[in-house]
Amino acid sequence: MERGGYILDGVRILDLSTFVTGGFCSLMLANQGADVIKIERPGTGDDIRQSGPPFVDGESPYYWTVNYDKRSVELNLKSEEALAALYDLAAEADVFIQNFRPGTAERLGVDYDRIVAENEDIVYCDISAFGQSGPWRQRPGYDLLVQGLSGIMDVTGEPDGQPAKVGLPMTDLVTGMWAAFGIVSALYQRRQTGEGDYIDLGMLDATVPWLTKQAGKVFADDRPQRMGTKDPVLAPYQMFQTADGHINVACLNRKLWRAFCMAIEREDLIEDERFVTNADRVESMAILEDEIEQTLTKWTTNEWLEIFVEAGVPAAPVQGVEDALYNEQTEARDVMTTLSDGEREIPAIEHPLNFQHATSGFRSPPPRLGEHTRDVFRELGYEEAAIERLFEVGAIGRTNQSD
């Protein structure tokens, strides 16, 4: 059956956010066909453009990863002429995204009340560290801080080590996903009711629901602990050392536990009273780890992997990032792609939603700063003289402008 078009085709988004929270949100929406117009400061743009090293031909690859399929417009929001132009853009938009600290949008004249005055049907997503209410609302917040405040760092790392940050900007990405989910939900509601909406989203609020099993420990009057790769409620469900590296093993039920013991030729563990049930194994986790590792260190990771695959035991090696990106599975699933504009070949990680009846996927590389300024205002109906006037008064930037 032939696929249809992009689900969000025709949806226009104004993204005034910087770095990752709003950027990953609008990236997800662009992947589904939305027209994302990235509003940036003249001359410097989004701060993520300067994140590095490394840089490739002067561009930050980190910037690439959250900005495919967008169009860049340089607007000086401190200029009255630029604000008037932004209001014109907002009047024709479906979604407005910003991640300023509370109070900043009001000072700039881009808060919800001001934007909704131009477009009463707008879906406005207001992202901040702690939301628009509460005693922490004015505090700055970044991924590192939110990882610490949310409890993530307290349960990450080795038992006898210090709290550790997850090695990726987890809370930024989590918040971006919630924002995209909220925006799509609001667009669906607007289709039903004809009314737009305002979304107040805090990074800490967005992260806490992801605690799940650690929160379950608290609900049971227990205190979650740092456990390295071990799991608080399942065993064996962790990384083990092999003769030449490491392997992850996940036994979620008695059937898999038996299959694992048979595969490593340790049938004695099956009837050991210390390991009969999952609860027994969790209680005896340290002893269990020693017993298993004594066996697994006899063979290499690849040798064990071959044995476990044959036995149906869930197991996998610990890969480096390059191997995670480029392997036979990601190749078969077209996870990695390349986007070209005729001058640049930019690698991209495709998003995972594969619809049977709709198209999804990135179409263009991340924009150069201000690359689409002229195009966007031409589409809006601005005459060339009016666009030149905006350039002359410094309302819009000339960096990489299209002719």
Side-chain angles (χ1 to χ4, degrees):
M1 182 178 295
E2 187 175 342
R3 289 186 179 182
Y6 283 81
I7 293 173
L8 296 182
D9 187 31
V11 173
R12 173 165 287 190
I13 295 170
L14 295 186
D15 184 1
L16 277 69
S17 68
T18 60
F19 273 108
V20 180
T21 53
F24 194 71
C25 165
S26 60
L27 182 76
M28 293 179 66
L29 303 174
N31 189 263
Q32 301 306 314
D35 176 20
V36 177
I37 299 175
K38 184 177 179 66
I39 306 299
E40 304 191 68
R41 291 172 298 177
T44 57
D46 185 344
D47 288 333
I48 198 173
R49 289 181 180 272
Q50 286 76 52
S51 292
F55 295 98
V56 177
D57 296 329
E59 295 189 1
S60 167
Y62 185 23
Y63 157 74
W64 294 345
T65 62
V66 291
N67 284 290
Y68 307 116
D69 244 9
K70 301 179 185 180
R71 300 199 286 170
S72 173
V73 170
E74 291 179 284
L75 275 182
N76 177 11
L77 296 182
K78 296 179 180 180
S79 158
E80 290 186 7
E81 292 87 349
L83 275 177
L86 180 71
Y87 297 152
D88 287 341
L89 288 169
E92 300 299 322
D94 299 285
V95 178
F96 192 102
I97 303 170
Q98 54 91 351
N99 64 347
F100 300 120
R101 194 185 302 188
T104 301
E106 286 80 0
R107 289 195 298 274
L108 291 174
V110 296
D111 55 292
Y112 174 68
D113 288 342
R114 185 64 188 83
I115 298 301
V116 79
E118 302 294 333
N119 184 345
E120 63 180 9
D121 300 328
I122 199 84
V123 172
Y124 187 108
C125 186
D126 192 342
I127 304 170
S128 60
F130 303 106
Q132 302 300 309
S133 59
W136 297 354
R137 65 182 294 270
Q138 288 291 350
R139 292 188 187 180
Y142 300 95
D143 174 70
L144 173 64
L145 307 185
V146 177
Q147 284 204 33
L149 287 168
S150 67
I152 290 175
M153 289 177 65
D154 189 50
V155 297
T156 304
E158 294 299 323
D160 57 351
Q162 295 183 343
K165 180 175 75 70
V166 176
L168 49 85
M170 178 179 171
T171 69
D172 287 333
L173 300 171
V174 165
T175 303
M177 294 183 75
W178 278 114
F181 173 71
I183 287 168
V184 170
S185 298
L187 289 172
Y188 180 79
Q189 174 183 254
R190 189 178 72 176
R191 192 174 74 173
Q192 308 302 310
T193 67
E195 297 180 348
D197 214 331
Y198 170 81
I199 303 169
D200 170 11
L201 176 61
M203 291 177 65
L204 183 60
D205 299 345
T207 305
V208 169
W210 288 55
L211 292 174
T212 58
K213 64 179 65 176
Q214 286 76 17
K217 298 273 278 189
V218 173
F219 299 158
D221 296 323
D222 197 356
R223 186 183 185 280
Q225 304 288 331
R226 288 189 292 281
M227 302 179 68
T229 66
K230 302 181 188 69
D231 188 87
V233 298
L234 294 169
Y237 192 94
Q238 66 183 86
M239 181 183 71
F240 293 100
Q241 187 172 345
T242 65
D244 67 342
H246 299 88
I247 192 168
N248 285 323
V249 174
C251 294
L252 284 78
N253 55 45
R254 182 167 177 77
K255 179 181 178 181
L256 292 174
W257 164 241
R258 290 180 63 87
F260 172 72
C261 292
M262 298 291 287
I264 66 173
E265 297 182 352
R266 289 295 307 273
E267 293 90 339
D268 60 296
L269 298 178
I270 297 174
E271 302 304 328
D272 191 314
E273 63 181 11
R274 297 169 298 178
F275 312 133
V276 174
T277 68
N278 178 72
D280 293 332
R281 296 191 292 276
V282 170
E283 290 292 333
S284 305
M285 195 177 293
I287 301 171
L288 177 64
E289 180 179 35
D290 289 340
E291 291 285 350
I292 293 173
E293 215 151 66
Q294 286 175 23
T295 300
L296 294 189
T297 50
K298 296 177 181 178
W299 299 92
T300 68
T301 297
N302 284 337
E303 288 169 336
W304 281 121
L305 185 61
E306 185 176 342
I307 291 170
F308 291 147
V309 169
E310 179 69 23
V313 174
V318 179
Q319 296 188 138
V321 174
E322 184 173 359
D323 288 335
L325 293 175
Y326 301 101
N327 59 65
E328 60 185 4
Q329 180 64 24
T330 56
E331 182 179 352
R333 297 282 293 174
D334 295 323
V335 172
M336 299 302 300
T337 188
T338 300
L339 302 172
S340 175
D341 59 6
E343 298 178 9
R344 300 175 298 164
E345 298 286 332
I346 304 294
I349 306 171
E350 263 297 356
H351 283 194
L353 297 174
N354 298 291
F355 298 98
Q356 183 175 358
H357 302 300
T359 300
S360 63
F362 297 120
R363 294 158 290 181
S364 60
R368 296 180 176 89
L369 177 59
E371 180 179 353
H372 304 96
T373 301
R374 283 186 182 274
D375 293 341
V376 168
F377 283 107
R378 284 168 178 161
E379 291 171 9
L380 203 60
Y382 277 51
E383 299 290 340
E384 292 299 320
I387 296 173
E388 282 301 323
R389 169 64 181 164
L390 292 175
F391 282 126
E392 290 170 5
V393 300
I396 57 180
R398 291 185 178 273
T399 314
N400 295 313
Q401 62 170 305
S402 55
D403 295 323

